[in-house]
Amino acid sequence: MGRIPSTTQENLPQATPSPFLKRYRQRLRLFWQRWLLPVLLALTIATVASLVMPLGLFSFQPLPELGEEDIGRPFRGVEPFKVARDIEVVDEISTQAKRERMRDRVLVVVDYEPSTQEAILRNIQRGFKNMRAVLAQERGAANAREAKTNKRAEAERQALLQKAKAVFLENFSTLGDEDFEALVGDRFSDASEKAAQLLIDVAYKSRLLSSREALLQMNAADLRVRTLGGTGEYMLRALPPEVMDLQEAQTELDRFASVPGNLLPETSPLLRRAVLRLAKRELRANLTINRAETETRRAAAYAEVAAVRVVLRKGQKIIGDGELITHAHLRLIEALRSQADPTENLRQHVGSFSTVLLFLFACFVFFRTALSRFRPSSKDLVFLATLLLGMVLTLFFWRIISEALSERHPRLSLQALQALFPLATGAALVRFVLGEEAALFFAIAFSAIAGMLLGDSLSFASAALAVSCLASASIARAQDRKGIFKAGLLSGVLAFFVMFFWGLAEGKYLWECLATGFSAMLGLSFGLPALVMALTPIVEFAFGYASDLKLLELANLNHPALKELIVRAPGTYHHSIVMGSLVESAAQAISANPLLARSCAYYHDIGKGANPRYFAENQKGENPHDFLRPVESAAIIKQHVIDGLELAKQHKLPKRVMEAIPQHHGTRRIAYFFHKASTQAGEGVQVDESAFCYMGPKPQFREAALVMLADVAEAAARSSASTSPEELKTLVLKMVNLIFSEGQLDECDLTLKDLHKVVDAFVVALSGIYHARPQYPAEAFKTNKPETTPKLLST
């Protein structure tokens, strides 16, 4: 015998709060679930994502403090110091070297005076002419001296020579007495004059500088020649015979004069030496280095050279652990330090945070408004956020591991190592325990964040989205490990082609594309099934979800709750089994979850096991309700919902299955006892209807609504005298219309089209259960064989 409530009051509904307070609480709960909780979770995700994304200039590594004293020492760091994003830095050393080279390429500017040679030749001509005139005067005086004494004549001669030398110095440079007397002895003849002019012509076949030391100091191999008084410029080699200094020109005259026959062959050596020394002393530079113009041009060339910028690619190593520090490392680090902005990392983290936050908000708003079936509860939002954070952090650490492996083994492709990460695991797990809308939302959100996390990689983002969608679709109805591995294999094959063709589109080598594709296929084919099977029990335990694997366990009739029900309430047990068949066929017709619907049907009335004899399907003989008031009977009937929830908690049934226990009744009225109470009260007496209504809530998901519809349809069919398909359809339509008209289906997403499919499925299933059987004649049970075995039961 089941327990009977000792009093009526303990089963009556408790006092309810005021309507205003009830509406306020409901609005607050809706605001929390629909907006406040999603915003808080999105803020958390965006914060974590912005911290792990490699957007900062130096990522999370502090800039090494290195100086000149560290050169030659090994660098010590937890990981190699790398650049977190593409950046250009100025190489000051290379810039300075390039500017110096461009400065040195500017030719030394020299001014050429073409009249120098002509002036010297004219000076020689005038000097020799003047000297001949002086010497002609000296000859006339010599005839007069013949009558004078020798002593007086010699004095006059010396005075004349002094006068002649003074005239000589007016036109020529100083000359030794020996050379001067040799020229005087030759009477400054025309031959000597022409010889001197010949030497000047020989010397000025080259351009003459005062000294070559200045050119050597200015590192000039070529000269930029400007003719004074002209407009053009030309280049000249700063080497003999094009350009000589005065010393080199004098040496050239010595060589020329040493050749027999070149200089006064019929005269004495003294005269030749005198003419040669005279010509050498008369040489003047006709090239003058213009230092001011040269420096101006070199300064302009120096300033025009742009700074040498070194492009550092994202992930490029600057210095690794154990690597000896060099000047090049110091220059790069100093360049990075010079471009470092104290607010840059903050600005970039704020930007990444805002990007992720706005992306999640936009996706959530779209899914909430455009997809009517996307109505995640608070628990669902927490689960999605937790899983998304877990996937993002795991991918972050996997990126660090793959970079370290690629650093130690350069032959391993970094992209291939990153592709080993099973990108579709999260979406597949969401689809395994929730609906396809939640899985799509998760796939879009994670794919975008994964692409940013792996360096704004569009290839990884697109691959993650594609394989997540396929994995979610293929794992939706996986009821064993084979189905899960099949989903992993299908998504792995898709990942291979996506990564392979993306590599070709990016212009990579064929072997790199193949390596990345095979890595992605291996990661998903084996990693996804392993992770899904490992995480599913944890998720089920932590959040109370029921995957298809869990539902298969619940659908096993050997479950302790069902075995207890068949002992205590066999009629209810049979009713639940029939309900399972009905809702499973209906769920298949409207693409709901058949396993979830069947599990909800099996356990929807387990609370009746507490007081089984108070329910019609378990009664044999007297009805206990005949001795109770209608309100007491209604309280006992409603109590089976509370008892059912307690038993569900004891047996740790999934949340969805537990929710179906109160929802399959909704807020419907217990019509039989309400009518009985109204009849007993008499006309004009108002009966409290709330005492005869279930507490609800109304069905919130399709499978719970199917259980409600199947419950009334099966009860009506069981009590119907006619079980023909036509009569059953009329009866089922009537009951479905009744539920619909009561508004019990307002809070679930069953459409009218779905209801028509449900009616058809119910009719087919009920026809198979309650079909009319032929009446067998008595002769069908007789046998012609003698009865040789004892009877088990006696009549």
Side-chain angles (χ1 to χ4, degrees), residues 104-154:
D104 293 340
R105 287 181 184 178
V106 176
L107 301 181
V108 175
V109 179
V110 294
D111 295 330
Y112 171 58
E113 178 56 72
S115 62
T116 301
Q117 181 181 357
E118 296 178 0
I120 294 174
L121 291 175
R122 285 196 304 270
N123 191 53
I124 291 175
Q125 183 182 10
R126 184 173 59 253
F128 269 77
K129 182 180 178 181
N130 292 337
M131 289 304 297
R132 283 194 295 268
V134 171
L135 293 177
Q137 294 177 3
E138 189 271 337
R139 180 178 294 276
N143 294 331
R145 285 199 303 272
E146 291 180 357
K148 298 179 180 179
T149 61
N150 291 335
K151 184 175 180 180
R152 184 178 177 183
E154 181 62 22

Side-chain angles (χ1 to χ4, degrees), residues 23-207:
R23 287 195 302 270
Y24 175 76
R25 290 178 178 176
Q26 183 177 7
R27 290 178 181 178
L28 185 61
R29 184 172 60 253
L30 290 176
F31 177 75
W32 163 260
Q33 180 176 340
R34 291 183 179 181
W35 299 110
L36 187 57
L37 180 60
V39 168
L40 292 177
L41 294 176
L43 287 172
T44 304
I45 296 171
T47 301
V48 175
S50 66
L51 292 176
V52 300
M53 284 183 187
L55 296 179
L57 179 60
F58 311 118
S59 184
F60 299 102
Q61 299 174 281
L63 196 64
E65 296 293 337
L66 302 178
E68 295 289 339
E69 66 278 3
D70 297 313
I71 294 178
R73 298 177 181 176
F75 175 73
R76 295 304 179 192
V78 179
E79 58 179 334
F81 179 73
K82 297 180 180 180
V83 180
R85 62 176 176 84
D86 294 348
I87 186 175
E88 288 186 355
V89 296
V90 177
D91 189 345
E92 296 292 346
I93 302 298
S94 300
T95 300
Q96 185 67 22
K98 185 177 180 180
R99 288 173 175 172
E100 292 292 340
R101 288 195 302 269
M102 294 304 296
R103 183 181 185 280
D104 293 340
R105 287 181 184 178
V106 176
L107 301 181
V108 175
V109 179
V110 294
D111 295 330
Y112 171 58
E113 178 56 72
S115 62
T116 301
Q117 181 181 357
E118 296 178 0
I120 294 174
L121 291 175
R122 285 196 304 270
N123 191 53
I124 291 175
Q125 183 182 10
R126 184 173 59 253
F128 269 77
K129 182 180 178 181
N130 292 337
M131 289 304 297
R132 283 194 295 268
V134 171
L135 293 177
Q137 294 177 3
E138 189 271 337
R139 180 178 294 276
N143 294 331
R145 285 199 303 272
E146 291 180 357
K148 298 179 180 179
T149 61
N150 291 335
K151 184 175 180 180
R152 184 178 177 183
E154 181 62 22
E156 292 179 353
R157 179 177 178 276
Q158 290 297 328
L160 184 62
L161 286 175
Q162 291 297 327
K163 180 181 178 181
K165 195 168 187 178
V167 173
F168 177 84
L169 293 177
E170 293 177 358
N171 299 280
F172 299 101
S173 302
T174 59
L175 194 66
D177 293 340
E178 183 182 7
D179 296 333
F180 179 73
E181 289 182 0
L183 289 172
V184 170
D186 185 54
R187 314 295 295 180
F188 283 89
S189 63
D190 291 340
S192 297
E193 179 184 350
K194 291 180 180 179
Q197 291 177 340
L198 175 61
L199 291 174
I200 295 300
D201 290 337
V202 171
Y204 281 97
K205 288 180 180 179
S206 302
R207 302 288 189 266

Side-chain angles (χ1 to χ4, degrees), residues 554-572:
L554 295 177
N556 188 346
L557 298 180
N558 290 321
H559 192 277
L562 296 180
K563 293 173 71 174
E564 182 179 348
L565 182 63
I566 195 175
V567 173
R568 291 189 173 186
T572 301

Side-chain angles (χ1 to χ4, degrees), residues 178-243:
E178 183 182 7
D179 296 333
F180 179 73
E181 289 182 0
L183 289 172
V184 170
D186 185 54
R187 314 295 295 180
F188 283 89
S189 63
D190 291 340
S192 297
E193 179 184 350
K194 291 180 180 179
Q197 291 177 340
L198 175 61
L199 291 174
I200 295 300
D201 290 337
V202 171
Y204 281 97
K205 288 180 180 179
S206 302
R207 302 288 189 266
L208 300 185
L209 285 166
S210 59
S211 174
R212 189 171 292 277
E213 291 296 328
L215 294 181
L216 295 177
Q217 292 175 1
M218 301 180 72
N219 194 25
D222 297 311
L223 303 175
R224 177 68 62 181
V225 181
R226 299 193 310 175
T227 302
L228 296 179
T231 57
E233 295 183 1
Y234 59 91
M235 190 182 72
L236 189 66
R237 295 286 295 173
L239 296 174
E242 286 85 356
V243 175

Side-chain angles (χ1 to χ4, degrees), residues 369-390:
T369 56
L371 302 179
S372 59
R373 294 173 59 184
F374 184 75
R375 294 294 182 269
S377 63
S378 299
K379 178 192 66 176
D380 298 336
L381 291 174
V382 172
F383 166 67
L384 291 173
T386 304
L387 184 60
L388 184 58
L389 285 175

